[in-house]
Amino acid sequence: MSFRWPNKDPDEQLDYSIDWSRFLGTATISSVVWSVNNASGVKTTISGGATVNGIQNVAQSQSTDNKTATINLGLGTNNTEYTFFCRITDNTGSQAERSVKLKVREK
C-alpha cells in the first residue's frame, strides 16, 4: 500500500514528510535514503540536488526528535505521478521502507 501526498505544481518547491513515530516507538531514525522511480520505472536513489525523471530533490532532513524524514522537492513534469520510497535504519539497526505517491499538476 502506498501513501499519497497532496498534488504539487511544477513551479513549487515544497517539503514532503513521512512521520515514522508510531512505527519506531522508542527507537529513533539513524539514517534515511530516498528513492524515486525513474522514467523506466526503476527505483533510483535521489540524493540532495539530484534530478530524476524531471523532479528534483533540493534537500532532505530528519526532524530534531529523529522520528520524521523530510524531502524538499522542486520541479516535476506536469501530469506525472511519481512514486517515492523512504528507507530508514533506526538506532537498533532495524530497517523499514514506505512508498508514497506524488502527482505533479499545474495549478
Side-chain angles (χ1 to χ4, degrees):
M1 178 180 120
S2 288
F3 297 101
R4 181 170 295 283
W5 284 321
N7 292 348
K8 176 195 172 310
D9 185 279
D11 297 325
E12 294 176 324
Q13 181 178 320
L14 299 170
D15 284 340
Y16 293 91
S17 298
I18 296 178
D19 181 350
W20 290 89
S21 58
R22 288 179 61 189
F23 171 81
L24 289 168
T26 58
T28 57
I29 297 171
S30 295
S31 66
V32 177
V33 176
W34 287 96
S35 302
V36 63
N37 284 342
N38 67 18
S40 300
V42 176
K43 185 166 64 169
T44 304
T45 299
I46 184 168
S47 56
T51 301
V52 174
N53 196 20
I55 197 155
Q56 182 182 36
N57 173 359
V58 178
Q60 54 193 41
S61 63
Q62 294 168 216
S63 61
T64 54
D65 67 355
N66 290 323
K67 300 281 187 176
T68 303
T70 301
I71 187 168
N72 183 275
L73 298 171
L75 305 174
T77 304
N78 193 34
N79 293 320
T80 300
E81 183 174 76
Y82 295 91
T83 302
F84 284 87
F85 303 89
C86 179
R87 181 173 200 68
I88 64 160
T89 302
D90 71 19
N91 62 324
T92 69
S94 295
Q95 295 185 343
E97 182 174 89
R98 298 286 181 266
S99 63
V100 60
K101 297 196 181 281
L102 174 66
K103 178 109 184 193
V104 174
R105 296 195 101 162
E106 196 74 44
K107 293 183 183 177

